[in-house]
């Protein structure tokens, strides 16, 4: 059997060309590089937009997605842009759309997004879940686009056209900045304030020879969407001169009381494009690696209603300012921004300084205004030509109608009209297409008004096109209108102090704890607490000032532990370093922090009765409303943040507390005007859980209103009388100052002696105080004068001028 034979092979038409690999790679790479540089990565210096951004704004305007219209799905926008103008991946188009809607990315967003468009730490939702439309600022970018102000070029498949550049009534490149990585080059430009940029542009229009230094008077530096503080202007000046430079931005941080006995750093603004989660991560890494100490916790309280709020807790005994300095060094709370102003100018990538950027933009706007004026002039001349033809036809309308009726066709009618009435081709055609109802007397008046208006507009446009100065003035005026419409206040603060140079990383952790140096803790009688450096004797101001009646004046150290004793007999510990520091030269006691708020006390805790140093063996006395007295030694207490120092009976409360050594005298003053004083040595110190002993014997209606301890030979007793049937501050109160030495000592637990004689209408003591240099103040902390003369121990005192809310001692 014979095997079948194969058909003859067809002649091959394949043609193989040998090409050097190096030549092919060079050619292909150059084509790719050109495509990336010109069609993707770099913005045009005229409108400040990359091709994808320009196509998105243009296509959205063509779709009618105006600010007054409703939002549409972002996926629809992406599809239209990709199908008609931008033949690249949908993710690149959507990413550009998202960025143009983010207020933290662009100083003036172009797109009004609806839905989850992401955050600094998270990406946006998919395009099918979000919606978008143009913002009013974007309409300014496409303003007058239908008046032949820019050239249109074919799209990728030559079926449609698109603008090669937008008219850009807003200087987008400087205002919103730009970033992009091309092949062999990159651009990175910071956002600026619209009002400042326009002011500089208008100045450059009026003074073409202005220097960069002159322009910096209007544009001192970038204005970042996230705010923050720009440290120094040296790098900014370099960038404005040469197109290259860098600057550092710091977060806006304040040292605040963030809870009971706790100080923290509150971050309200972060550097450009830095999110809170990134900051928190870096802080945790630095703490875990032992590079950073003194931080107890980090809490992100950011929300859409209150904005950014990042709270960093500081451990007790650490200097918040020193911790903040390390945070600037180790975390993104301080970031550098490198400016590299590269943009396309006439199709070529160029590095531009501030003046160059403004000049390119102004040249573009001048060209736009010129082309728009040319277009409007042609349109108005054409319309005037037609209006004049209509007026000729209306003058002899009967003959016009007769000519048209006598003609065989429209071509013959047109020719006859041209010959009889001396009309042009366009005029004759327009008259033939016109409806007869337009040829009325009223239409004639309208046409004459329109003719006059067109004549005036043509004259204006001709004057405008014939004068470079008028064109420049128009550009300036329209820029001013944009500033008025869309300008916003500056967000970033520019500091004249440059940031310190970066310190090389070290394995050794810095000691951020406070130096244990001497200080004085002062607490006013109204509860304002503060800290100041030691003051030499006699250096305090002698003139009365608000809140200078003090509850406590404690020479101590910054790292010492203090205790505040409340009415309920609870001692709350805190550190001197956590109190705000005042100027020792001119201390203003009212600028301190409210101690009750700092300790987190509620109304049930009662008022603070004393502030003491805990690391001492000198006893402290307590006196209660029911006449109980107790002494305890602070150094014997535990280190708990809250602990009772006296066991109070139901209904009793602490009315006074003070340091009471054996050489001091304890003083009780009652509401009925009795005073009892005896040696503090008569009261044996007890433990924290003890309830004390009888301090004074009280009558049926009497209560203790003041309990204190002082030197008997130096102290002065202040008593203020009043009436139980009148509101405090409304009666004619009387005040008396008496040396404590005038009162005889009695035994502990006795009733004492009379300290104040009541006049008619008086039946009780409103308040009393025992101290070295008594002071009084009103409800707002204002000083209230006390009499200088001293009275007898059973006197009635003198009339008080003003209402007293608190009594205290003079700072010494």
């Amino acid at each position: 059997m014979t095997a079948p034979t194969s058909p003859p092979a067809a002649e091959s038409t394949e043609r193989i060309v040998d090409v050097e690999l190096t030549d092919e790679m060079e050619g292909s790479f150059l084509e790719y590089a050109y495509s990336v540089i010109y069609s993707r990565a770099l913005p045009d210096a005229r409108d400040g937009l990359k091709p994808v951004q320009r196509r998105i704004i243009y296509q959205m305007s063509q779709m009618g997605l105006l600010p007054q219209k409703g939002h549409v799905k972002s996926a629809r926008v992406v599809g239209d842009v990709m199908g008609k103008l931008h033949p690249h991946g949908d993710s690149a188009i959507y990413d550009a759309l998202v960025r143009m809607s983010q207020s933290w990315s662009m100083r003036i967003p172009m797109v009004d997004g609806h839905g989850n468009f992401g955050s600094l730490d998270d990406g946006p939702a998919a395009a099918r879940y979000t919606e978008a439309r143009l913002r009013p600022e974007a309409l300014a970018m496409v303003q007058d686009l239908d008046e032949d102000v820019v050239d249109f070029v074919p799209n990728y498949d030559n079926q449609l056209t698109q603008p090669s550049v937008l008219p850009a009534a807003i200087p987008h490149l400087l205002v919103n900045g730009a970033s992009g990585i091309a092949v062999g080059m990159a651009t990175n430009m910071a956002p600026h304030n619209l009002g400042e940029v326009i002011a500089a542009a208008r100045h450059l229009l009026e003074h073409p020879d202005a220097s960069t230094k002159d322009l910096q008077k209007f544009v001192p530096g970038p204005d970042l969407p996230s705010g923050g503080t720009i440290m120094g202007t040296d790098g900014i000046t370099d960038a404005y001169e040469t197109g290259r430079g860098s600057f550092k931005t710091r977060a806006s941080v304040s040292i605040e009381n963030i809870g009971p006995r706790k100080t923290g750093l509150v971050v309200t603004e972060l550097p450009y494009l830095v999110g809170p989660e990134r900051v928190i991560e870096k802080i945790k890494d630095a703490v875990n690696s032992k590079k950073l100490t003194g931080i107890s916790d980090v809490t992100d309280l950011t929300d859409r209603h209150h904005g950014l709020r990042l709270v960093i807790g500081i451990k007790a005994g650490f200097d918040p300012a020193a911790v903040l300095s390390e945070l600037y060094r180790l975390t993104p709370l301080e970031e550098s921004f490198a400016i590299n102003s590269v943009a396309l100018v006439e199709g070529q990538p160029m590095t531009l300084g501030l003046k160059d950027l403004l000049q390119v933009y102004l040249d573009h706007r001048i060209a736009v205004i010129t082309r728009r004026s040319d277009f409007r002039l042609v349109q108005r001349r054409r319309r005037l030509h037609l209006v004049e033809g209509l007026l000729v036809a209306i003058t002899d309308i009967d003959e016009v109608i007769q000519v048209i009726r006598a003609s065989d066709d429209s071509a013959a009618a047109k020719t006859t009209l041209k010959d009889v009435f001396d009309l042009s081709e366009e005029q004759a055609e327009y008259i033939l297409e016109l409806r007869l109802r337009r040829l009325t007397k009223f239409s004639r008046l309208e046409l004459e008004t329109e003719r006059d208006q067109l004549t005036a507009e043509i004259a204006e446009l001709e004057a405008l096109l014939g004068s470079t100065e008028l064109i420049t003035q128009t550009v300036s005026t329209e820029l001013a209108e944009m500033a008025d419409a869309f300008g916003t206040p500056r967000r970033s603060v520019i500091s004249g102090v440059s940031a310190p140079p970066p310190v090389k990383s070290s394995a050794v952790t810095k000691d951020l704890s406070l130096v244990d140096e001497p200080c004085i803790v002062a607490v006013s009688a109204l509860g304002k607490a503060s800290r100041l450096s030691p003051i030499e004797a006699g250096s305090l101001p002698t003139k009365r000032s608000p809140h200078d009646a003090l509850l406590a004046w404690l020479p101590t150290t910054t790292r010492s532990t203090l205790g505040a004793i409340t009415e309920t007999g609870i001692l709350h510990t805190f550190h001197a370093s956590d109190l705000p520091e005042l100027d020792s030269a001119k201390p203003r006691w009212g600028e301190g922090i409210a101690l009750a708020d700092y300790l987190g006390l509620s109304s049930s805790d009662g008022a603070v009765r004393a502030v003491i140093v805990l690391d001492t063996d000198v006893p402290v006395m307590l006196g209660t409303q029911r006449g109980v007295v107790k002494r305890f030694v602070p150094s014997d207490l535990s280190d708990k943040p809250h602990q009772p120092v006296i066991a109070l009976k139901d209904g009793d409360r602490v009315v006074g507390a003070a340091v009471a050594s054996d050489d001091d005298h304890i003083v009780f003053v009652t509401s009925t005007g009795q005073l009892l004083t005896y040696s503090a040595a008569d009261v044996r110190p007890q433990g924290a859980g003890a309830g004390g002993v009888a301090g004074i014997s009280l009558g049926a209606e009497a209560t203790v209103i003041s309990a204190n301890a002082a030197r008997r030979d130096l102290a002065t007793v202040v008593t203020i009388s009043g009436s139980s049937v009148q509101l405090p501050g409304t009666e004619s109160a009387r005040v008396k100052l008496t040396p404590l030495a005038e009162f005889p000592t009695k035994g502990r637990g006795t009733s004492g002696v009379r300290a104040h004689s009541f006049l008619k209408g008086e039946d009780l003591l409103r308040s009393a105080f025992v101290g070295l240099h008594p002071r009084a103040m009103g409800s707002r902390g204002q000083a209230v004068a006390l009499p200088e003369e001293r009275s007898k121990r059973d006197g009635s005192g003198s009339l008080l001028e003003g209402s007293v809310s608190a009594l205290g001692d003079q700072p010494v």
Side-chain angles (χ1 to χ4, degrees):
M1 187 171 180
T2 308
T5 58
S6 302
E11 184 178 350
S12 175
T13 59
E14 184 179 28
R15 187 168 60 93
I16 298 176
V17 178
D18 292 331
V19 179
E20 288 290 336
L21 179 61
T22 55
D23 295 339
E24 179 63 25
M25 290 297 293
E26 287 177 1
S28 299
F29 182 77
L30 283 176
E31 289 180 6
Y32 166 73
Y34 289 148
S35 173
V36 171
I37 291 173
Y38 300 121
S39 302
R40 295 178 66 179
L42 299 184
D44 192 299
R46 295 170 293 176
D47 61 4
L49 297 171
K50 298 179 183 179
V52 64
Q53 296 173 323
R54 184 180 305 114
R55 290 163 181 167
I56 290 173
I57 294 176
Y58 171 70
Q59 188 58 37
M60 289 181 72
S61 69
Q62 293 298 105
M63 295 170 66
L65 305 182
L66 306 181
Q68 64 270 24
K69 300 291 185 64
H71 296 80
V72 303
K73 287 291 184 181
S74 300
R76 178 182 167 191
V77 176
V78 172
D80 271 26
V81 172
M82 181 171 59
K84 294 181 178 180
L85 304 176
H86 197 71
H88 299 281
D90 58 341
S91 60
I93 299 173
Y94 185 53
D95 288 345
L97 175 70
V98 166
R99 187 177 186 276
M100 287 195 292
S101 71
Q102 294 174 337
S103 59
W104 59 87
S105 296
M106 306 190 83
R107 189 62 180 80
I108 297 182
M110 295 286 114
V111 174
D112 178 12
H114 180 68
N116 178 15
F117 275 80
S119 67
L120 284 165
D121 296 305
D122 297 314
R128 61 182 179 274
Y129 299 122
T130 62
E131 298 175 343
R133 66 182 177 190
L134 290 178
R135 288 173 57 94
E137 296 88 339
L139 297 186
M141 297 296 293
V142 296
Q143 182 175 292
D144 306 324
L145 193 57
D146 57 348
E147 294 187 283
D148 193 33
V149 291
V150 295
D151 293 332
F152 276 70
V153 296
N155 70 335
Y156 65 93
D157 60 359
N158 289 322
Q159 294 188 15
L160 302 171
T161 59
Q162 59 184 333
S164 60
V165 65
L166 295 185
I170 292 175
H172 185 278
L173 186 56
L174 274 169
V175 171
N176 279 329
S179 63
I181 300 175
V183 178
M185 63 184 67
T187 186
N188 198 35
M189 302 176 65
H192 289 77
N193 184 273
L194 175 64
E196 294 175 355
V197 172
I198 287 180
R202 297 182 68 195
H203 179 78
L204 186 59
L205 277 174
E206 297 177 6
H207 306 86
D209 57 346
S211 63
T212 302
K213 187 176 181 181
D214 296 333
L215 297 176
Q216 274 194 272
K217 296 177 182 178
F218 302 93
V219 185
D223 185 22
L224 307 176
S226 57
T229 302
I230 296 174
M231 307 301 295
T233 58
D234 294 342
I236 296 173
T237 301
D238 292 341
Y240 287 169
E241 288 282 359
T242 65
R244 297 178 185 272
S246 65
F247 62 90
K248 288 188 175 181
T249 309
R250 281 185 173 179
S252 295
V253 187
S254 59
I255 301 174
E256 298 180 13
N257 174 33
I258 60 174
R261 300 173 304 283
K262 189 170 184 180
T263 301
L265 304 174
V266 179
V267 183
T268 53
E269 293 178 352
L270 287 172
Y272 186 40
L273 300 181
V274 173
E277 289 186 11
R278 178 182 164 197
V279 173
I280 293 173
E281 182 182 356
K282 291 294 183 181
I283 292 175
K284 289 180 178 179
D285 290 344
V287 171
N288 293 335
S289 62
K290 309 298 183 183
K291 294 180 180 179
L292 186 62
T293 59
I295 293 180
S296 60
D297 56 82
V298 184
T299 307
D300 186 7
L301 302 179
T302 303
D303 60 45
R304 66 175 59 189
H305 299 294
H306 302 91
L308 175 70
R309 185 174 177 84
L310 191 62
V311 180
I312 304 172
I314 304 298
K315 293 180 180 178
F318 284 81
D319 184 359
V323 175
L324 178 58
S325 178
E326 284 299 283
L327 285 171
Y328 282 143
R329 186 176 70 89
L330 297 172
T331 71
L333 288 183
E334 179 180 282
E335 283 279 276
S336 293
F337 188 97
I339 297 177
N340 186 26
S341 301
V342 178
L344 296 176
V345 179
E346 296 182 358
Q348 299 296 321
M350 296 181 63
T351 302
L352 307 171
L354 176 62
K355 183 176 180 179
D356 299 327
L357 288 167
L358 289 172
Q359 192 61 61
V360 171
Y361 173 72
L362 290 175
D363 291 343
H364 173 58
R365 286 303 298 170
I366 290 172
V368 166
I369 299 300
T370 303
R371 291 184 60 163
R372 184 185 69 188
S373 301
D374 279 330
F375 178 85
R376 291 178 177 177
L377 180 59
V378 170
Q379 295 299 313
R380 280 151 181 77
R381 283 175 175 171
R382 182 183 177 188
R383 178 59 184 170
L384 179 60
H385 184 60
L386 297 177
V387 169
E388 289 174 342
L390 284 177
L391 287 171
V392 170
I394 289 176
T395 303
D396 200 353
I397 187 62
D398 294 334
E399 187 175 355
V400 170
I401 295 174
Q402 184 178 355
V403 167
I404 295 175
R405 292 184 62 184
S407 301
D408 295 332
D409 53 27
S410 60
K414 184 191 304 182
T415 302
T416 306
L417 286 175
K418 288 166 56 178
D419 295 337
V420 173
F421 296 100
D422 194 20
L423 299 176
S424 67
E425 182 85 14
E426 289 182 351
Q427 290 174 326
E429 183 70 29
Y430 189 69
I431 291 172
L432 286 174
E433 294 179 356
L434 196 66
R435 292 185 178 182
L436 288 176
R437 65 182 181 183
R438 290 286 309 275
L439 303 178
T440 63
K441 184 177 180 181
F442 181 69
S443 296
R444 180 181 182 84
L445 294 176
E446 286 183 346
L447 290 172
E448 289 176 346
T449 302
E450 184 180 359
R451 179 194 60 191
D452 296 339
Q453 182 180 351
L454 288 170
T455 303
E457 291 179 358
I458 289 171
E460 291 179 3
L461 290 169
E462 289 175 343
L464 177 64
L465 291 170
S467 171
T468 304
E469 182 179 349
L470 286 178
I471 292 179
T472 301
Q473 185 178 349
T474 303
V475 171
S476 179
T477 301
E478 292 187 0
L479 284 174
E481 292 173 355
M482 292 296 107
D484 293 339
F486 306 119
T488 55
R490 167 171 277 276
R491 297 177 187 173
S492 295
V493 176
I494 299 179
S495 170
V497 180
S498 299
V503 180
K504 291 184 178 180
S505 178
S506 172
V508 181
T509 304
K510 277 192 175 183
D511 183 10
L512 305 180
S513 57
L514 281 168
V515 178
D516 196 20
E517 55 188 9
C519 69
I520 294 174
V521 171
V523 183
S524 77
L526 287 180
K528 293 285 188 176
S530 54
R531 170 172 58 93
L532 61 161
S533 301
I535 302 175
E536 296 181 3
S539 61
L540 277 171
T542 57
K543 185 178 179 181
R544 293 297 306 273
S545 61
H547 291 273
D548 66 353
L550 299 183
L551 174 70
W553 178 268
L554 304 174
T556 180
T557 62
T558 53
R559 298 184 66 177
S560 64
T561 303
L562 307 179
I565 301 173
T566 64
E567 289 181 358
T568 55
I570 305 298
L571 183 139
H572 302 266
T573 61
F574 64 97
H575 296 276
S577 61
D578 294 335
L579 300 178
E581 187 171 6
L582 301 183
D583 183 3
S584 300
K586 295 180 180 180
R588 298 178 181 177
W589 316 110
E591 294 180 356
I593 190 173
L595 188 59
D597 294 340
Y598 170 71
L599 295 174
L601 302 180
S602 63
S603 57
S604 61
D605 294 312
V608 174
R609 293 303 184 190
V611 178
I612 61 174
V613 179
L614 296 182
D615 53 351
T616 178
D617 294 330
V618 180
V620 172
M621 63 79 54
L622 301 171
T624 74
Q625 190 177 35
R626 293 184 176 178
V628 175
V629 66
K630 176 184 177 179
R631 282 209 302 165
F632 67 92
V633 178
S635 59
D636 292 341
L637 299 175
S638 66
D639 56 357
K640 295 180 181 179
H642 317 280
Q643 56 184 309
V645 289
I646 184 173
L648 293 173
K649 295 182 179 180
D650 290 342
D652 202 4
R653 63 189 180 93
V654 175
V655 295
V659 175
S661 67
D662 290 345
D663 296 331
D664 293 324
H665 271 65
I666 293 173
V667 184
F668 279 87
V669 182
T670 71
S671 59
T672 55
Q674 294 294 110
L675 183 147
L676 174 64
T677 179
Y678 48 86
S679 174
D682 294 345
V683 181
R684 180 176 59 84
Q686 297 177 306
V693 295
I696 185 173
S697 177
L698 299 174
E701 301 296 330
T703 59
V704 176
I705 62 171
S706 174
N708 214 321
R711 288 282 300 275
R712 186 171 185 275
D713 55 336
L714 299 178
T716 298
V717 179
V718 181
T719 53
I720 300 177
S721 62
S723 171
S724 60
V725 297
Q726 292 180 326
L727 292 174
T730 62
E731 77 272 40
S732 299
R734 303 181 70 84
V735 60
K736 180 175 72 70
L737 276 72
T738 307
L740 179 61
E742 294 286 328
F743 297 90
T745 59
K746 297 287 185 177
R748 178 180 63 81
T750 61
S751 59
V753 299
R754 177 165 294 279
H756 198 112
S757 295
F758 299 132
L759 298 181
K760 184 177 180 181
E762 299 176 343
D763 59 356
L764 55 74
L765 288 183
R766 285 288 184 195
S767 57
F769 176 76
V770 180
L772 300 180
H773 307 284
R775 294 260 175 117
M777 59 183 177
S779 59
R780 299 187 306 274
Q782 73 275 20
V784 177
L786 295 175
E788 296 183 0
E789 67 275 7
R790 300 298 187 259
S791 303
K792 295 180 180 180
R793 66 179 176 85
D794 58 349
S796 57
S798 57
L799 194 64
L800 179 64
E801 297 181 1
S803 178
V804 173
S805 293
L807 293 166
D809 225 336
Q810 176 185 355
V812 294

